[in-house]
Amino acid sequence: MPTSCAASSLTSAPYRAGWIHYTNVAPILDPLVLPPTVTALTGVPTQMNAALLEGRVDIANISVAEFIRNADRLAALPDFSVSVLGQVYSVNLFHTCPLPELQRVALTAQSATSVALLEVLLRGWGLSPELVRDEGTAQELLARGYDGVLRIGDSALREWYEVVGPLGENASMTRLPHRGGGITVTDLSEEWYRLTGQPFVFAVWAYRKDAPPPPELLRAMRDARREGLGSLGEISQRHAAKLNLPRRVVQHYLWNFRYHLEEPDRRGLQRFAELLRPDHAELEWGPEITP
């Protein structure tokens, strides 16, 4: 007996999303209401990268380095990204000596893109310190004898403020400090801009080519982004409380991001792809999102 369309839709497997829910994507993910046909789980970048590549989720806001390395298997939504032109404040190299004197640098295991960006920048600076996987706060790792520590995400934002803060009410949000207590914080996105003059794309919403997202998820994501960007004050207040940071600092952090993967962002991404993996497969975008 033929199966009706209604019965078929009830038995079909849900579309699975994997979200890296750092503060930097709060304007998209905080307001997002998933369609009934979509389920979601959360994790750090390396976890969601693996979940997507292993087929445990169908779409994820993954590290752009993994998108580049797996461009033969993945495509990305054409108008979603986490990009920055200049300082990002949450991908930081904390160091106690000048960059040319770096000998041992501790790397986080949470992000592929930040490590790849650091490696690209080190080559550009003509430096080759020993890179060691280790975990802990920047101050803990520096106290253990590393002279450089790479930190990312909400932890890096908090630890940057611990080094440079507190900031007074009259501090200019466009000229925030980079030093304090004998520690220098080098913002890797700012260094990328100095090197290339282009935005840096940290993440894209990528999916396996054999599992494109349903239109209802794309519409929900667009609606959420529109709502989130219109509510930065409220979102900043909520996340500032979680991070124990001033609201104005978190709001500056969020309005600094580019969430639409515009042409300058794609050029920056392509430049990074050429430097990271010259033999990468062609980067693919789609499906096109219609109103």
Side-chain angles (χ1 to χ4, degrees):
M1 180 176 178
T3 303
S4 70
C5 291
S8 176
S9 65
L10 289 173
T11 58
S12 62
Y15 193 79
R16 300 161 302 172
W19 300 148
I20 301 163
H21 203 157
Y22 285 149
T23 299
N24 61 12
V25 290
I28 298 175
L29 295 186
D30 277 17
L32 179 61
V33 178
L34 290 175
T37 55
V38 179
T39 62
L41 58 88
T42 61
V44 300
T46 47
Q47 292 172 331
M48 292 301 96
N49 295 343
L52 181 62
L53 294 170
E54 293 167 6
R56 290 182 281 118
V57 300
D58 303 307
I59 188 171
N61 52 318
I62 68 165
S63 303
V64 76
E66 291 303 321
F67 172 56
I68 293 165
R69 289 169 178 148
N70 296 279
D72 58 330
R73 303 168 56 191
L74 302 176
L77 298 184
D79 74 336
F80 280 87
S81 71
V82 180
S83 309
V84 174
L85 181 64
Q87 296 180 27
V88 67
Y89 305 105
S90 59
V91 179
N92 296 322
L93 181 65
F94 296 81
H95 50 105
T96 53
C97 63
L99 289 174
E101 298 176 16
L102 290 174
Q103 297 297 317
R104 294 180 74 240
V105 175
L107 304 179
T108 176
Q110 293 187 3
S111 170
T113 292
S114 61
V115 173
L117 175 56
L118 177 61
E119 291 172 341
V120 165
L121 291 171
L122 287 171
R123 289 198 298 270
W125 296 330
L127 304 178
S128 54
E130 180 186 6
L131 305 179
V132 182
R133 293 282 183 178
D134 207 344
E135 296 299 333
T137 69
Q139 303 234 21
E140 288 169 349
L141 290 166
L142 290 170
R144 279 189 228 162
Y146 293 101
D147 42 31
V149 178
L150 176 63
R151 297 285 285 158
I152 70 159
D154 293 350
S155 298
L157 180 63
R158 261 194 320 269
E159 291 167 32
W160 161 77
Y161 192 76
E162 288 173 3
V163 168
V164 306
L167 300 177
E169 290 289 338
N170 294 322
S172 170
M173 291 293 103
T174 60
R175 303 185 71 177
L176 297 176
H178 291 273
R179 294 180 181 85
I183 298 173
T184 298
V185 185
T186 293
D187 186 308
L188 297 195
S189 180
E190 183 177 24
E191 295 303 319
W192 170 260
Y193 178 72
R194 287 176 177 167
L195 178 68
T196 67
Q198 295 175 330
F200 189 81
V201 179
F202 285 97
V204 293
W205 268 257
Y207 60 91
R208 297 192 321 281
K209 292 179 183 179
D210 63 352
E216 58 267 27
L217 175 58
L218 304 184
R219 286 194 292 269
M221 289 174 62
R222 275 185 127 185
D223 289 345
R225 179 177 57 193
R226 187 177 300 112
E227 179 181 343
L229 291 178
S231 306
L232 280 186
E234 293 86 347
I235 291 173
S236 300
Q237 182 65 54
R238 185 162 60 249
H239 284 269
K242 293 179 182 178
L243 295 169
N244 195 27
L245 291 172
R247 171 181 169 176
R248 66 188 185 283
V249 170
V250 176
Q251 186 159 344
H252 173 77
Y253 174 63
L254 289 178
W255 75 40
N256 203 37
F257 284 102
R258 303 164 59 87
Y259 292 110
H260 291 79
L261 195 62
E262 298 177 78
E263 186 57 34
D265 308 308
R266 292 198 191 193
R267 287 199 299 269
L269 193 161
Q270 190 65 49
R271 178 62 177 148
F272 182 59
E274 292 166 358
L275 293 171
L276 177 65
R277 187 162 182 170
D279 62 345
H280 68 85
E282 183 179 357
L283 305 183
E284 293 188 21
W285 316 102
E288 291 299 325
I289 304 175
T290 55

